[in-house]
Amino acid sequence: KPTKTTVPDRNTLRILTELLSVLYAMPGLDTTTCDATDRILHGKSEDHLCGVGMSTANPILRSYRTNDMDYEFTATTFKKTSRLPFNDPYPDGTPFTWFRSWNHERITNEAKALKLVSQRTTIPVPKLLKDGEHPDGRRYLVTELIEGVRLDQFRDRACSKPNGQNHTDNTPCETCSNLAESNALQFIEKTVLPELAELKSQERGIDGFVMPPSWLSPVLPPWKCKKHWKTLPLNTPEYVFQHGDIAAQNLIMDPQTLEVKALIDWEYAGFFPPGMERWPGTLDRKTYHRRGDDVAQAIASFLPEDYLECCDQWGDKELLDTLINSGELPHPERLRQGHINE
């Protein structure tokens, strides 16, 4: 087995490439193996793409891209890489550049969180294999691949029981879905939250970096001007460690036992004031999507200093007053005076 990318000689490459073109044209063929072989033939192994020391014996089997990330899967590993801003004009040709705030930093933040949680708790998380930064500023992390099914996908799955013992012949199986969700809730309430609450710090964030909470939009006023979040050190360790984005899509389940195999996606993790996770006590999808609604009280409770700083720097005071008067944002003067409405 080669330990680094090996490119065949030109004649062999031509023959194999022609063979691949024939295979690709065959109707109904699963092209996963062809895709992987094509990458190896052209020197595009996992080793070439991310420099993590993987050989062509572990090629990329599946990949996809979002506006923010590139995702790659091998038989044993998972990798995600932050994307750079890119031009994405509107249909009428109006220029638009897509970017996401803290897109690169959140990769490094997750890598640090995975190390901390794996070393100081019993919470099952993917093993971090490597993380780093490309010369162009993109950041990546590579973890072991956790085999399983995301909890949010159970609502579209057939019964997990073997034939003859299945709850129903229909899809989805509500019994399996409900059992999986019940097990996940118990895992969160009895394992995740209590163990994370034991991890405390005198500073916010992780190692000097503070990732803004997932329920806050950093591109809306008055946060858009904020380039750095302070660690706000305390005299005593009162900040507790939090996942930051506990949700059904971040829980990997065993499809047979319906138990949790891993809690993933720790990009928003860090040490924060107790309760800033805003865990609603449910894994309901609609509740999750509403986590960014009615945040005025949460801002007042957990981010008063950050908020006041942003209000002072925000130029459009008329817009700010409109948001404050509508109740979307807390009143700055009341915060300064220490009168926070409950």
Side-chain angles (χ1 to χ4, degrees), residues 102-159:
W102 319 105
N103 198 40
H104 308 303
E105 292 86 349
R106 62 191 179 124
I107 294 292
T108 303
N109 195 62
E110 178 173 11
K112 292 181 178 181
L114 288 174
K115 292 177 185 177
L116 187 151
V117 173
S118 64
Q119 293 170 358
R120 299 176 60 183
T121 77
T122 66
I123 299 169
V125 298
K127 180 181 179 181
L128 181 68
L129 302 178
K130 186 167 184 177
D131 67 288
E133 182 173 354
H134 292 291
D136 59 6
R138 292 175 300 131
R139 301 186 190 183
Y140 68 88
L141 64 79
V142 182
T143 71
E144 65 176 351
L145 180 66
I146 304 295
E147 296 286 353
V149 179
R150 292 198 333 242
L151 179 61
D152 64 317
Q153 295 174 333
F154 268 84
R155 59 177 174 266
D156 300 318
R157 284 179 56 84
C159 186

Side-chain angles (χ1 to χ4, degrees), residues 49-207:
L49 288 171
C50 64
V52 296
M54 296 181 184
S55 72
T56 54
N58 197 25
I60 299 171
L61 301 179
R62 181 166 63 92
S63 64
Y64 67 93
R65 165 174 282 186
T66 67
N67 287 339
D68 311 314
M69 293 284 169
D70 286 317
Y71 299 90
E72 298 169 353
F73 301 79
T74 74
T76 58
T77 65
F78 164 75
K79 178 191 175 187
K80 62 179 172 182
T81 305
S82 60
R83 293 188 62 187
L84 299 172
F86 62 92
N87 295 323
D88 186 22
Y90 289 101
D92 63 359
T94 303
F96 177 77
T97 299
W98 177 272
F99 77 98
R100 179 169 178 172
S101 301
W102 319 105
N103 198 40
H104 308 303
E105 292 86 349
R106 62 191 179 124
I107 294 292
T108 303
N109 195 62
E110 178 173 11
K112 292 181 178 181
L114 288 174
K115 292 177 185 177
L116 187 151
V117 173
S118 64
Q119 293 170 358
R120 299 176 60 183
T121 77
T122 66
I123 299 169
V125 298
K127 180 181 179 181
L128 181 68
L129 302 178
K130 186 167 184 177
D131 67 288
E133 182 173 354
H134 292 291
D136 59 6
R138 292 175 300 131
R139 301 186 190 183
Y140 68 88
L141 64 79
V142 182
T143 71
E144 65 176 351
L145 180 66
I146 304 295
E147 296 286 353
V149 179
R150 292 198 333 242
L151 179 61
D152 64 317
Q153 295 174 333
F154 268 84
R155 59 177 174 266
D156 300 318
R157 284 179 56 84
C159 186
S160 296
K161 292 289 186 179
N163 290 335
Q165 302 178 29
N166 47 324
H167 303 114
T168 179
D169 293 328
N170 299 323
T171 299
C173 177
E174 292 188 8
T175 301
C176 285
S177 181
N178 291 339
L179 283 172
E181 182 170 339
S182 176
N183 291 338
L185 284 170
Q186 186 176 38
F187 167 73
I188 294 167
E189 298 285 356
K190 294 188 175 182
T191 301
V192 176
L193 297 179
E195 291 198 27
L196 293 184
E198 293 297 317
L199 306 180
K200 298 184 179 181
S201 173
Q202 292 178 243
E203 295 187 346
R204 290 195 308 181
I206 307 177
D207 291 344

Side-chain angles (χ1 to χ4, degrees), residues 20-31 34:
L20 278 174
S21 66
V22 173
L23 291 174
Y24 273 123
M26 294 177 64
L29 178 72
D30 182 352
T31 62
C34 295

Side-chain angles (χ1 to χ4, degrees), residues 73 112 116 128 141 145 169 195 215 240-241 243 265 274 283 299 336 341:
F73 301 79
K112 292 181 178 181
L116 187 151
L128 181 68
L141 64 79
L145 180 66
D169 293 328
E195 291 198 27
W215 45 264
V240 298
F241 201 77
H243 177 276
D265 209 354
L283 291 165
I299 292 171
R336 288 191 175 94
N341 291 331

